[in-house]
């Protein structure tokens, strides 16, 4: 019975990490749209290249943080959380 509970914990952590990595799709799409619009703007007004590029890079950096947060959460769910949850389970059962 204890092995089943540990398996559920490990499966839940893996499933949670996979769901967290879905958040990486948003920044990719958003940054692609930003670069496309920046290229359009530079094509229409080449003299504004510096301002458009600077603003685009700042926006892409801010958008990328959501993907990085998702990566950190996924890494924590894969490497740190299972051990913690198993320890909590074993303490609740009284085996530690």
């Amino acid at each position: 019975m204890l092995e089943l509970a540990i398996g559920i914990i490990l499966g839940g952590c893996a499933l949670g990490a996979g769901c967290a990595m879905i958040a990486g799709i948003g920044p990719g799409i958003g940054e692609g749209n930003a670069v496309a619009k920046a290229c359009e703007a530079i094509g229409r007004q080449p003299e504004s290249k510096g301002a458009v590029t600077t603003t685009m890079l700042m926006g892409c950096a801010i958008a990328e943080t959501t993907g990085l947060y998702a990566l950190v959460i996924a890494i924590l769910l894969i490497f740190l959380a299972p051990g913690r949850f198993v320890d909590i389970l074993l303490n609740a059962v009284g085996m530690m």
Side-chain angles (χ1 to χ4, degrees):
M1 189 68 168
L2 190 60
E3 293 83 17
L4 178 64
I6 292 173
I8 291 172
I9 288 172
L10 295 176
C13 288
L15 191 62
C19 289
M21 287 312 299
I22 291 174
I25 295 171
I29 293 171
E31 289 174 27
N33 287 338
V35 172
K37 296 297 181 180
C39 289
E40 279 182 30
I42 292 170
R44 289 182 183 156
Q45 291 184 330
E47 66 274 1
S48 67
K49 178 182 178 186
V52 171
T53 303
T54 304
T55 305
M56 179 202 61
L57 289 176
M58 183 61 70
C60 286
I62 291 170
E64 188 64 31
T65 58
T66 58
L68 292 176
Y69 290 146
L71 177 65
V72 168
I73 294 299
I75 288 172
L76 289 174
L77 281 171
I78 291 174
F79 295 111
L80 186 67
R84 297 264 186 185
F85 289 143
V86 169
D87 288 343
I88 291 170
L89 174 69
L90 293 177
N91 282 335
V93 173
M95 296 187 70
M96 265 185 113

